[in-house]
Amino acid sequence: MLIGFELITQRAWTILPGASFSIAIVWNQAKIPSSIGKDIFYKAGMILPNKILTGTGRIHHISDETINAFEPLQSEHCHLVSCPKDPPSTLRLDITVPKSSMVDTIYQTSFIKMWKRKDSVTRDTVLYFDPHSVQNIQKNQFQIDLFYLLKK
């Protein structure tokens, strides 16, 4: 099975040059190295609602040379990664945002999209933040506990 995650806006976000978002899957207390995704915005702009801030499995640089000026500013879709063979007893997302002041508002202004591919069928599921499942790690880094997904 392959999985991937994207952090998606629910409202417009102002992005300043040098802003960086990252996301990674933490499976059984260990980060899956291939799941690490990072998006660096070298161009100031506005990310509109329902656009991607960051996604797993790739590094993406957004600058004048990498975007189409006639399209909305956003990052690329996530890349799906292989799940470890051991079933997870814990499943978390590790997310880092550019400023610590974003951590408190990101719960209310974004959501997670989970992608899953099994037997050549790809499905996506929208996951909204549960404030009880969020744990602050550092001033601009937090983890989201996705334990409830393990029951499905």
Side-chain angles (χ1 to χ4, degrees), residues 109-124:
T109 60
S110 61
F111 61 92
I112 300 290
K113 187 176 274 191
M114 181 177 114
W115 294 89
K116 184 165 88 172
R117 182 179 302 142
K118 188 174 183 180
D119 302 326
S120 72
V121 176
T122 303
R123 294 201 169 106
D124 66 320

Side-chain angles (χ1 to χ4, degrees), residues 37-147:
K38 186 169 187 170
D39 295 271
I40 305 163
F41 293 81
Y42 294 107
K43 177 179 175 57
M46 181 76 66
I47 297 183
L48 300 175
N50 297 312
K51 300 299 177 195
I52 302 166
L53 284 170
T54 191
T56 55
R58 79 292 178 290
I59 295 176
H60 186 233
H61 298 270
I62 299 127
S63 65
D64 287 331
E65 291 80 34
T66 62
I67 62 169
N68 180 341
F70 299 105
E71 292 181 0
L73 184 63
Q74 75 170 329
S75 188
E76 289 185 354
H77 284 285
C78 68
H79 290 186
L80 303 182
V81 298
S82 294
C83 296
K85 293 183 187 205
D86 297 331
S89 57
T90 62
L91 180 63
R92 293 188 172 96
L93 285 181
D94 188 88
I95 298 176
T96 303
V97 295
K99 297 185 304 187
S100 60
S101 60
M102 292 177 139
V103 171
D104 293 331
T105 60
I106 204 159
Y107 310 145
Q108 301 157 354
T109 60
S110 61
F111 61 92
I112 300 290
K113 187 176 274 191
M114 181 177 114
W115 294 89
K116 184 165 88 172
R117 182 179 302 142
K118 188 174 183 180
D119 302 326
S120 72
V121 176
T122 303
R123 294 201 169 106
D124 66 320
T125 305
V126 172
L127 308 171
Y128 292 97
F129 284 97
D130 174 2
H132 300 292
S133 69
V134 177
Q135 176 186 4
N136 289 335
I137 304 299
Q138 294 179 7
K139 61 180 183 172
N140 65 331
Q141 180 184 15
F142 59 97
Q143 285 190 347
I144 304 165
D145 187 354
L146 300 176
F147 179 74

